[in-house]
Amino acid sequence: MNEIYLDNSATTPLSETVKKKMIEAMECYGNPSSLHSAGQAAEKLLSEARERLLLGFGLRPRQKDGTVVFTSCGTEATALALFGVAYAKTRRDAKRILTTDSEHPSVARAMDRLAADGFEVVRIPTKGGVLDLRAVKNALDQKILLASFMLVNNETGAVYEVGEAFRAIKARYPDAVTHCDAVQGFMKCPFTPTSLCADLITVSGHKLHAPKGVGALYLSNALIKAKKIAPFLVGGGQEDGLRSGTENVIGIAAFGAAVEELRQKKDELTAHVAALRQYAEERLSALEVRINRPEGAYLPHVIHLTLPHIKSETMLHALSADGIFVSSGSACSSHSHHPSEALLAFGLTPHEADCSLRISLSGQNTEADIDALCVSLEKNLARLVRVK
Ligand code: PLP
């Protein structure tokens, strides 16, 4: 059976360019910290990938506006950002941390831990997929240490006005540190650290046709100079002392290749996914489903649907039996049996959240994939049990 992959927000297949780069990097066995030429060859792969990520962030690598630290995943990059700033203790009386009520668990659960450790965590509403800028302004006072807002919501595709929010914070409290989880937005919607007004930005390889197990954190030079972040993995001092541990050379080289490939094909891919989204909306609107379109900006890659009283999981398995892969929510929240926090924050009832599907596109999808999805959805909408 043909497999149709429409779960690209969970993870993506490797691109052919990435596979080639990985094979090349597999031949390079040296430790990048070693001084001999085998080590230097590995270090060369790391610095090429670092430059490619900086270019992906819209920066000029030679000018050194900021730096990129490689980690084992997006979750680790975020942990370095949040715990690293909270425990750097540069401002001992600053205890307030702002975040949204619809973050990925890598941020949301880190915030729970910081709250348990005595930080005051304020969760800003994102109803309808719109970051409440007035609530951000109302939450400001001199105790603000950190704000962490995601750029693109992984379940609804909503794009939050992170730049506006961070600029408002920095205008009043320039010492506050700003972190953005851009895992779903990187190389899909245009931004730079300056446009986001972000000191720290998390990204992850496996959402961009690179392998799982590699992520990165962008850090501004100003933040590093002011020592506002402390490493939590200490040891050999790799990654400028910010993340000890021998680097995953193959994964990092692959991440760099994926970013460069997307950078080269950006315009073509943006147009392709936008056209595919429009086609999908036209086809889906003929079916008995509701598209949960965010009220503000959104990424065309993510289509969130509510089904008529059919449990997400029931439909997901029925589609899977036809070789069509979608998601019943974010891959991480599918580990828990609670309704997704992000969907409740969006405004769905627990029952609606329980009867919802996420379809997520990449440049590799075609209209034929959408046709197959709609045929299977229509068949299963007529046949599956409804729950009230
Ligand atoms: N942040 C967002 C918005 C995500 O969607 C994900 C993964 O689903 C992550 C963070 C975590 O990234 P990783 O799987 O690389 O740890």
Side-chain angles (χ1 to χ4, degrees):
M1 189 181 3
N2 228 356
E3 285 186 358
I4 294 172
Y5 189 72
L6 293 165
D7 197 11
N8 291 282
S9 294
T11 197
T12 50
L14 299 179
S15 79
E16 292 308 314
T17 309
V18 165
K19 285 184 201 167
K20 272 196 206 120
K21 189 71 191 183
M22 289 175 80
I23 290 167
E24 177 197 326
M26 276 178 204
E27 300 298 332
C28 187
Y29 59 86
N31 182 326
S33 297
S34 297
L35 298 179
H36 46 64
S37 58
Q40 283 168 10
E43 170 50 37
K44 200 161 161 247
L45 285 175
L46 293 190
S47 55
E48 178 191 55
R50 218 180 297 280
E51 292 207 353
R52 289 176 156 184
L53 262 89
L54 287 168
L55 285 171
F57 283 118
L59 299 171
R60 298 144 300 169
R62 307 255 172 250
Q63 302 236 322
K64 275 277 185 191
D65 305 284
T67 212
V68 159
V69 163
F70 288 110
T71 61
S72 65
C73 56
T75 300
E76 189 201 323
T78 287
L80 169 59
L82 302 184
F83 298 127
V85 170
Y87 300 121
K89 301 213 165 107
T90 38
R91 293 169 58 223
R92 280 172 196 276
D93 52 346
K95 291 278 184 199
R96 180 171 287 196
I97 302 179
L98 309 191
T99 188
T100 79
D101 60 357
S102 53
E103 294 292 321
H104 183 269
S106 53
V107 171
R109 300 290 76 80
M111 290 295 173
D112 292 347
R113 184 170 288 185
L114 289 168
D117 277 358
F119 289 90
E120 184 202 354
V121 175
V122 180
R123 293 180 206 256
I124 304 295
T126 53
K127 192 153 194 316
V130 178
L131 180 67
D132 186 340
L133 291 174
R134 191 190 300 206
V136 173
K137 288 178 188 156
N138 289 342
L140 296 181
D141 80 10
Q142 75 262 24
K143 287 203 302 282
I144 180 163
L145 172 70
L146 170 68
S148 178
F149 300 153
M150 73 195 321
L151 181 59
V152 176
N153 185 272
N154 45 300
E155 299 198 50
T156 63
V159 180
Y160 297 154
E161 287 189 83
V162 173
E164 290 285 303
F166 285 172
R167 257 186 295 282
I169 295 171
K170 290 271 195 187
R172 283 186 57 194
Y173 299 104
D175 276 347
V177 175
T178 50
H179 166 253
C180 179
D181 171 358
V183 165
Q184 294 290 346
F186 189 43
M187 305 313 291
K188 292 182 192 151
C189 58
F191 71 84
T192 63
T194 308
S195 76
L196 292 181
C197 199
D199 299 308
L200 298 161
I201 303 173
T202 293
V203 294
S204 174
H206 72 106
K207 312 291 181 179
L208 304 172
H209 307 287
K212 292 151 210 37
V214 59
L217 184 67
Y218 161 84
L219 303 95
S220 72
N221 281 345
L223 176 108
I224 297 173
K225 247 199 222 148
K227 295 196 170 43
K228 286 184 179 172
I229 190 160
F232 72 92
L233 275 185
V234 290
Q238 289 90 341
E239 300 294 296
D240 282 339
L242 286 161
R243 197 275 185 185
S244 287
T246 303
E247 292 92 341
N248 168 7
V249 177
I250 299 166
I252 292 170
F255 194 2
V259 169
E260 184 56 18
E261 185 177 21
L262 292 180
R263 202 171 69 85
Q264 300 290 345
K265 294 187 182 163
K266 198 167 59 205
D267 296 341
E268 181 195 326
L269 285 173
T270 306
H272 176 77
V273 176
L276 204 54
R277 163 74 182 230
Q278 199 178 340
Y279 182 73
E281 288 226 12
E282 280 162 19
R283 293 280 334 245
L284 289 165
S285 63
L287 303 181
E288 196 192 354
V289 295
R290 186 185 78 204
I291 300 177
N292 298 313
R293 226 174 274 107
E295 286 165 24
Y298 58 88
L299 202 66
H301 302 65
V302 182
I303 308 173
H304 196 267
L305 299 177
T306 296
L307 306 167
H309 309 291
I310 298 170
K311 289 251 188 196
S312 323
E313 271 192 60
T314 314
M315 181 60 91
L316 186 144
H317 290 302
L319 292 173
S320 177
D322 285 342
I324 298 162
F325 304 146
V326 301
S327 162
S328 59
S330 78
C332 299
S333 71
S334 60
H335 288 305
S336 91
H337 295 291
H338 302 293
S340 143
E341 283 168 34
L343 295 182
L344 300 184
F346 186 83
L348 265 55
T349 64
H351 177 68
E352 287 171 329
D354 219 22
C355 294
S356 291
L357 285 186
R358 180 186 68 186
I359 292 148
S360 46
L361 311 171
S362 84
Q364 296 184 358
N365 290 120
T366 62
E367 288 188 358
D369 296 343
I370 303 296
D371 291 340
L373 166 75
C374 291
V375 167
S376 178
L377 260 180
E378 189 169 21
K379 176 184 79 181
N380 288 303
L381 281 167
R383 151 185 111 76
L384 293 175
V385 176
R386 302 197 175 198
V387 286
K388 292 250 174 167

